[in-house]
Amino acid sequence: MQIQKAEWDLPLIQKYNISGPRYTSYPTALEFSQDYDESAFVRAASRYPDRPLSLYLHIPFCHQLCYFCGCNKQVTRQQHKADAYLDALVQEIAARAPLFSQRIVSQMHWGGGTPTFLTKAQISRLLGTLRQHFTFAADVEMSIEVDPREIELDVLDHLREGGFNRLSMGVQDFNKQVQQSVNRVQDEAMIFALMARARQLGFTSTNIDLIYGLPHQTAKSFAFTLQKVADLNPDRLSVFNYAHLPELFAAQRKIRQEDLPDAQQKLDILQQTISSLTAQGYEFIGMDHFARHDDELAIAQRAGKLHRNFQGYTTQGDSDLLGMGVSAISMIGDSYAQNQKELKHYYAAIEQDKTALWRGLQLTDDDCIRRDVIKSLMCNFSLSFAAVETQWGIDFQRYFADDLHQLQPLIADGLVDSHQKGLQITPKGRLLVRNICMCFDSYLRQKARRQQFSRVI
């Protein structure tokens, strides 16, 4: 399948730049309920016993506070807190693993917070526990998020020896004024040294995170960052839109509203970013992700086999995802489950029950049908009516009559081509794929809650 390049249409972008879900899941986490209990999780774990397993481990600690951050984290310099956390996490691993004893782990990701907050000994302890309780594939994909400000080069050697083969590094911006304004000043030379060492050690994939919309950013200043990215030459990039929500995230109150780029400046930065990265040979995978033409994400997208989960785009969407640690989310057997979000509640739950389930959702057939439709649009920018009808035994036009009516203005504006066999998102519709998916979101129509989401651009 040929994926066309995204096309910039400013009037349409301005027209449709409203708030909406990112669709790392459908239904979104807003629909999770505390009615979902441990017995529901156990049933879900047995639903698809032959699926491979993907593990996510959440490490919530950071050495410093980044003002823009909305992640679940605890800022501390006290290393012993990580020991206490690992004590609880080990208990959760031991309690969860028997439900998946017949599964093979094909993928694992450590996120945070800052997973490399852990010392080498703590990293080894967690890896040893996981390998003791789970069976890992020989070619398991193991990735970890790295903060270049708080890591020694030889930690990469330790990670590689432990089996990690993918690296994601938060850079956000190379401009010093921007870094200072969000309390994330980092050594440029160290970033380049880490990338060089990762390649030397045989890490098979490197990802760089950037953020646009931060204080003092302009198209000119971000051009400097994009040039540094070209020099770094990572395999993948994530370029996130900063959502300023100081009423939700206390740290963002340290950012002055008047220092932020306005809506037009943000659009200018985004347009420049897409133009620059595609000129460097990256493909716009969707949302905020870019990958080299020969990267497995780009290959999977062209083959119509790309998937999406709580970690973003992936080639392993046929796996069940087990999340462990505070706030971690699982996608198991047509259900979602989330652990306790606050650390003190996580510890209390582990002490009492050995697990920390907080809330979740058992998907209905309608949820599953709409999930598949939205995933196809998000990942492949196309939808086959026949594929949905064959999978679910429905008449697409009749079942989605209201949704297709919602889609008509977007079709009229040239964001989507509708034909007898399905839908095709046009080049100028690719940047607005969230708007297109929102037409198939029945929860969004039932409840006017768009204000709880970030803007689509």
Side-chain angles (χ1 to χ4, degrees):
M1 180 173 64
Q2 181 64 37
I3 301 291
Q4 296 176 294
K5 291 184 177 181
E7 184 179 304
W8 190 266
D9 189 313
L10 182 58
L12 285 178
I13 288 171
Q14 291 172 326
K15 176 179 179 179
Y16 286 102
N17 192 18
I18 59 174
S19 299
R22 297 177 59 81
Y23 293 118
T24 49
S25 74
Y26 179 85
T28 71
L30 286 177
E31 308 308 328
F32 292 5
S33 166
Q34 293 184 51
D35 293 337
Y36 185 93
D37 59 15
E38 188 64 26
S39 62
F41 186 95
V42 172
R43 287 195 302 273
S46 64
R47 183 166 173 80
Y48 303 112
D50 297 326
R51 281 184 177 175
L53 190 64
S54 178
L55 299 179
Y56 171 73
L57 284 299
H58 190 80
I59 310 299
F61 303 106
C62 293
H63 288 104
Q64 298 180 47
L65 177 66
C66 300
Y67 297 160
F68 57 78
C69 185
C71 297
N72 189 305
K73 77 280 184 186
Q74 183 177 100
V75 179
T76 180
R77 287 280 175 181
Q78 298 175 301
Q79 203 66 40
H80 68 85
K81 289 190 175 182
D83 286 319
Y85 183 72
L86 291 182
D87 289 343
L89 190 53
V90 164
Q91 292 186 65
E92 183 184 6
I93 291 167
R96 283 294 182 224
L99 296 175
F100 305 93
S101 59
Q102 305 303 312
R103 310 279 196 109
I104 301 296
V105 176
S106 60
Q107 184 183 52
M108 180 170 71
H109 180 72
W110 291 11
T114 305
T116 49
F117 179 94
L118 301 180
T119 64
K120 292 179 187 176
Q122 289 167 338
I123 289 169
S124 293
R125 179 190 178 191
L126 181 52
L127 280 173
T129 300
L130 289 162
R131 291 192 180 277
Q132 174 188 346
H133 288 280
F134 292 97
T135 302
F136 284 73
D139 61 347
V140 60
E141 174 189 302
M142 292 173 54
S143 60
I144 187 169
E145 296 171 12
V146 170
D147 182 347
R149 299 171 300 169
E150 300 284 349
I151 187 172
E152 299 296 330
L153 277 177
D154 65 352
V155 173
L156 291 190
D157 299 63
H158 189 73
L159 291 171
R160 189 72 189 94
E161 290 165 6
F164 284 96
N165 46 31
R166 292 171 178 263
L167 204 65
S168 182
M169 197 185 322
V171 172
Q172 323 315 349
D173 195 299
F174 277 98
N175 184 280
K176 289 301 179 189
Q177 184 186 21
V178 175
Q179 292 177 8
Q180 290 165 357
S181 69
V182 296
N183 198 38
R184 192 185 175 90
V185 178
Q186 48 205 357
D187 180 11
E188 181 182 308
M190 184 60 174
I191 294 170
F192 278 82
L194 285 166
M195 289 289 284
R197 178 67 70 92
R199 291 193 173 103
Q200 181 184 1
L201 292 170
F203 280 84
T204 57
S205 179
T206 54
N207 179 84
I208 293 293
D209 288 344
L210 302 177
I211 297 178
Y212 70 96
L214 295 178
H216 304 295
Q217 279 181 339
T218 64
K220 183 178 180 180
S221 76
F222 208 67
F224 174 78
T225 290
L226 293 171
Q227 181 55 54
K228 294 296 182 183
V229 166
D231 296 338
L232 275 173
N233 193 29
D235 300 290
R236 299 177 184 175
L237 281 141
S238 301
V239 187
F240 298 109
N241 172 18
Y242 170 64
H244 190 58
L245 301 168
E247 65 279 7
L248 293 181
F249 306 113
Q252 293 187 0
R253 294 169 199 161
K254 295 179 179 293
I255 293 176
R256 300 195 312 167
Q257 180 76 40
E258 57 267 31
D259 291 338
L260 295 172
D262 61 29
Q264 185 57 54
Q265 288 175 311
K266 286 183 73 173
L267 290 177
D268 291 343
I269 294 170
L270 178 60
Q271 182 181 22
Q272 172 183 255
T273 299
I274 294 171
S275 176
S276 175
L277 293 179
T278 52
Q280 292 173 36
Y282 292 96
E283 293 190 8
F284 178 57
I285 299 299
M287 289 286 294
D288 28 42
H289 285 65
F290 298 81
R292 291 282 179 201
H293 182 79
D294 58 353
D295 185 273
E296 64 178 6
L297 288 185
I299 293 169
Q301 186 174 68
R302 290 193 296 273
K305 297 179 179 179
L306 191 63
H307 297 274
R308 186 165 171 80
N309 62 21
F310 287 101
Q311 274 85 65
Y313 290 99
T314 178
T315 59
Q316 301 200 31
D318 292 329
S319 304
D320 272 348
L321 170 65
L322 173 61
M324 293 178 286
V326 63
S327 77
I329 298 178
S330 301
M331 301 174 72
I332 303 287
D334 294 331
S335 76
Y336 304 134
Q338 184 174 22
N339 278 353
Q340 290 288 345
K341 202 171 184 178
E342 293 186 34
L343 202 51
K344 63 181 179 181
H345 295 152
Y346 174 78
Y347 285 145
I350 293 293
E351 184 176 351
Q352 180 176 323
D353 303 318
K354 308 302 181 188
T355 62
L357 180 64
W358 171 38
R359 60 179 188 168
L361 180 70
Q362 178 62 54
L363 275 65
T364 65
D365 283 349
D366 180 67
D367 291 337
C368 291
I369 294 169
R370 293 176 182 277
R371 175 196 61 190
D372 286 358
V373 167
I374 287 172
K375 184 173 74 171
S376 181
L377 292 169
M378 290 289 293
C379 294
N380 305 312
F381 300 112
S382 64
L383 178 70
S384 165
F385 294 161
V388 179
E389 291 173 338
T390 301
Q391 172 75 17
W392 294 103
I394 62 170
D395 180 303
F396 192 97
Q397 297 281 354
R398 184 175 300 142
Y399 192 94
F400 287 105
D402 289 345
D403 311 85
L404 292 170
H405 178 72
Q406 294 268 338
L407 196 62
Q408 288 308 307
L410 287 77
I411 293 173
D413 279 337
L415 303 182
V416 189
D417 286 336
S418 178
H419 49 85
Q420 189 175 1
K421 293 185 178 181
L423 302 174
Q424 181 70 47
I425 296 178
T426 66
K428 61 184 176 182
R430 290 188 62 187
L431 287 169
L432 297 165
V433 63
R434 289 163 70 179
N435 303 75
I436 296 164
C437 292
M438 286 157 65
C439 295
F440 293 92
D441 186 336
S442 63
Y443 293 93
L444 205 56
R445 288 204 296 275
Q446 293 165 15
K447 304 168 185 176
R449 297 195 292 192
R450 294 182 182 179
Q451 70 276 10
Q452 298 189 34
F453 300 109
S454 63
R455 287 186 177 272
V456 300
I457 297 293

